[in-house]
Amino acid sequence: MGNLAAQIKAGTDPESVAKKKIEATFEDAVELTGHGKFNNFVLLTCGLILLNVSMESVGISYVITAAECELDLGSEHKGLLSASAFIGIVSTSFLWGFLGDRYGRRAVMTPAMLASVAFSLASSFATDVWTILILRILTGCLVSASSATVYAYLGEMHIKSRRAAAIAWGSAFISFSFIILPGLAWLIIPGEWTWQWGWMTIGPWRVFMWFWGLPALVASAALISLPESPRHVLAAKGPEAALPILARMYAWNHGKPADSFPVSKITSSTAESCRSGFGEALRNISLMVRPPLARCVLISHVSMFAVFMLSSGLYMWVPDILNNILSSKSQRSITICQIIHDKFKAAQNITHEEGYHFCRTDVSVGVFPISMAMGALFAVVYLAIGFLINRIGKKTLHCEYCPSRFYIVVRSISNCCRAMAMCLMYMVGRAGAAVGSNLLGATLDLHCQLAFTFLGIFAMCSTILMCFWPNPEEVRRKMEEKGLSY
């Protein structure tokens, strides 16, 4: 039996190998399911989930400018609102990871996504900053169920050789949100129409928020037709329960009936059981802070914090900063920070002279195509990684694509406790986004140059830290010496 994996790895046709076997280990059985329509459907579903997570997290960046006057938003309020979804994600990531490992990835994601849509819609009807802030935090708490659990589900639904590429392709949907959001905003937000609905006025920015939950509704419907992760079922219920799921994957990929799956019994597996107790969950996570993983974890988590602080935290302010630049009437050469400072001073002067708070919301149409161009660039990079990761290899892409390194840490934890490990790592990343967004909110008006200098230095230091990443093969050897799978 041990020869089956070697034959598949050597390039032997899985179907021809399968005809000779009626029993297999779990890993070999997964390899025999192949790659096809089932995996593409899983990838599309998980991509929509990630699209929803991103839209719910960063969509507010286009609202804070349009709703500035209606909700009476200052820079501090904008910073809090920009970070609201990330605050919710950070505060509940570990809990959702634990629940995902105990009850299943699909079982946790589906109801949480539907509930997040309800809270997201409710937030669009808020009439003051504190109401929308609370509702956006609650939305983030529910979105958190999918934000990292989806990676575990996506990886476990693919054969080993396709796993890294699937995660890269799935992540590409995040970049699609950076095209879709400004595109929708371009169509809706510049409109000058409003209508009265009961006691409140519905304006363009509120309607814009209604579209954020659409990917979640489609993904929830798709998840209903998909099975639970076979690896989770193996750990939770045993090989007899996992076998029908693998047979279904095989049938969908090969266009054959499920009973034609050549594996009749899963004999053994290197997958470890993940006990359901919370204490056991903490024990599994404690592996991450002890050698040989400690250095990997420190570097990857600091880097994840930096990546999200710059990509998400800074991005949350891009529409507002672009709007300030494009709305500036200055004819002289001027820096971004000077434009922001001048706007702040002008508003203060008018308020002081007229005795009332001055506010005028003009969203420059030029903000949207520039933002879409940035999103298109992100999409090209993600798609290129999806194409190249198997051709060049993960090691070559490590320095250019941080998540591939972070996934090594997660792979090193118990095979069935990955969801919690992923949630913990992404919790650190989302914390970086929240810190970055609030940092800019607190400093942009008066200490803009200092804020951008700090972000640049922190990014440079985290990049240098990557040079101290340990040899993956050495980590593997030490893990195996401790009797842990890698």
Side-chain angles (χ1 to χ4, degrees):
M1 280 306 304
N3 192 38
L4 179 57
Q7 291 182 59
I8 294 173
K9 189 174 182 180
T12 307
D13 178 26
E15 281 200 62
S16 64
V17 174
K19 290 175 183 177
K20 305 173 187 177
K21 305 294 179 181
I22 60 170
E23 295 183 357
T25 64
F26 177 78
E27 287 74 17
D28 287 344
V30 171
E31 291 295 319
L32 288 170
T33 63
H35 183 87
K37 294 178 182 178
F38 177 85
N39 305 95
N40 293 334
F41 186 65
V42 169
L43 176 59
L44 177 61
T45 301
C46 292
L48 288 172
I49 293 171
L50 288 167
L51 177 64
N52 171 250
V53 170
S54 184
M55 290 179 72
E56 292 287 7
S57 300
V58 305
I60 198 73
S61 62
Y62 294 94
V63 169
I64 57 176
T65 301
E68 181 176 344
C69 292
E70 190 171 345
L71 298 180
D72 193 19
L73 302 178
S75 290
E76 295 83 359
H77 296 137
K78 289 180 179 180
L80 283 171
L81 274 177
S82 296
S84 57
F86 299 120
I87 292 170
I89 290 172
V90 168
S91 61
T92 56
S93 281
F94 189 81
L95 172 64
W96 286 119
F98 168 71
L99 294 175
D101 284 327
R102 183 169 185 178
Y103 297 109
R105 289 76 161 107
R106 174 179 169 270
V108 164
M109 288 191 293
T110 305
M113 276 195 297
L114 293 174
S116 73
V117 174
F119 276 94
S120 182
L121 283 173
S123 69
S124 71
F125 294 99
T127 55
D128 63 85
V129 63
W130 301 112
T131 301
I132 193 172
L133 177 64
I134 291 171
L135 289 171
R136 293 312 304 170
I137 290 175
L138 292 174
T139 302
C141 290
L142 293 162
V143 166
S144 178
S146 302
S147 66
T149 305
V150 66
Y151 285 106
Y153 184 78
L154 178 58
E156 290 165 358
M157 288 299 206
H158 283 77
I159 60 177
K160 187 176 181 180
S161 62
R162 299 274 188 163
R163 200 166 293 150
I167 290 172
W169 280 98
S171 298
F173 281 79
I174 297 174
S175 64
F176 295 161
S177 70
F178 299 148
I179 302 173
I180 294 171
L181 280 171
L184 279 173
W186 195 356
L187 290 173
I188 299 171
I189 288 180
E192 298 182 359
W193 46 266
T194 59
W195 79 80
Q196 202 69 25
W197 191 60
W199 47 271
M200 71 181 306
T201 301
I202 303 295
W205 67 267
R206 296 183 187 275
V207 175
F208 172 59
M209 294 178 70
W210 296 352
F211 289 89
W212 299 352
L214 288 180
L217 295 176
V218 177
S220 297
L223 275 177
I224 293 173
S225 65
L226 286 170
E228 182 54 82
S229 161
R231 190 173 290 277
H232 169 79
V233 173
L234 175 72
K237 300 179 181 179
E240 294 80 10
L243 187 58
I245 297 176
L246 296 177
R248 183 178 171 187
M249 293 166 62
Y250 173 86
W252 201 337
N253 281 337
H254 295 273
K256 297 179 179 180
D259 57 13
S260 66
F261 185 49
V263 177
S264 61
K265 182 181 179 182
I266 297 176
T267 56
S268 63
S269 175
T270 57
E272 300 169 27
S273 174
C274 182
R275 301 184 188 99
S276 59
F278 192 75
E280 186 64 22
L282 292 176
R283 189 195 72 80
N284 277 282
I285 292 299
S286 71
L287 294 172
M288 297 172 65
V289 295
R290 300 201 302 262
L293 288 177
R295 199 205 308 182
C296 297
V297 169
L298 174 64
I299 295 173
S300 63
H301 283 59
V302 169
S303 299
M304 184 68 90
F305 186 93
V307 166
F308 272 81
M309 184 170 69
L310 290 169
S311 63
S312 296
L314 180 57
Y315 180 84
M316 299 300 292
W317 285 91
V318 166
D320 196 63
I321 292 172
L322 283 176
N323 192 60
N324 286 334
I325 294 171
L326 296 173
S327 301
S328 174
K329 305 298 184 183
S330 177
Q331 300 298 316
R332 58 193 173 92
S333 179
I334 192 170
T335 66
I336 293 173
C337 287
Q338 190 61 51
I339 291 172
I340 293 171
H341 185 70
D342 288 350
K343 179 188 174 184
F344 175 72
K345 284 295 185 183
Q348 275 194 329
N349 292 338
I350 293 176
T351 301
H352 177 74
E353 293 172 5
E354 304 294 335
Y356 64 88
H357 176 61
F358 172 78
C359 184
R360 180 178 177 180
T361 302
D362 291 318
V363 181
S364 175
V365 175
V367 168
F368 307 118
I370 295 174
S371 298
M372 290 179 72
M374 292 173 58
L377 180 61
F378 293 154
V380 168
V381 172
Y382 271 113
L383 293 173
I385 290 167
F387 278 117
L388 296 174
I389 200 164
N390 281 332
R391 292 168 174 79
I392 296 178
K394 292 186 286 293
K395 289 184 182 178
T396 308
L397 288 173
H398 277 165
C399 293
E400 291 80 8
Y401 184 52
C402 291
S404 63
R405 277 196 171 188
F406 304 156
Y407 191 63
I408 288 177
V409 177
V410 178
R411 276 175 44 196
S412 305
I413 306 301
S414 170
N415 282 333
C416 299
C417 296
R418 286 181 185 151
M420 188 160 51
M422 285 290 268
C423 284
L424 184 62
M425 188 164 60
Y426 274 84
M427 180 179 73
V428 173
R430 307 292 183 183
V435 169
S437 179
N438 273 302
L439 174 68
L440 288 173
T443 60
L444 207 55
D445 289 335
L446 299 175
H447 307 287
C448 174
Q449 191 68 49
L450 182 63
F452 281 108
T453 301
F454 170 77
L455 291 175
I457 292 173
F458 192 84
M460 182 176 63
C461 291
S462 68
T463 302
I464 294 172
L465 198 60
M466 275 290 184
C467 297
F468 298 94
W469 188 268
N471 186 331
E473 294 304 320
E474 183 67 17
V475 174
R476 181 194 296 273
R477 184 184 62 78
K478 291 180 179 178
M479 289 290 291
E480 290 174 348
E481 285 176 358
K482 292 176 177 287
L484 298 169
S485 64
Y486 183 90

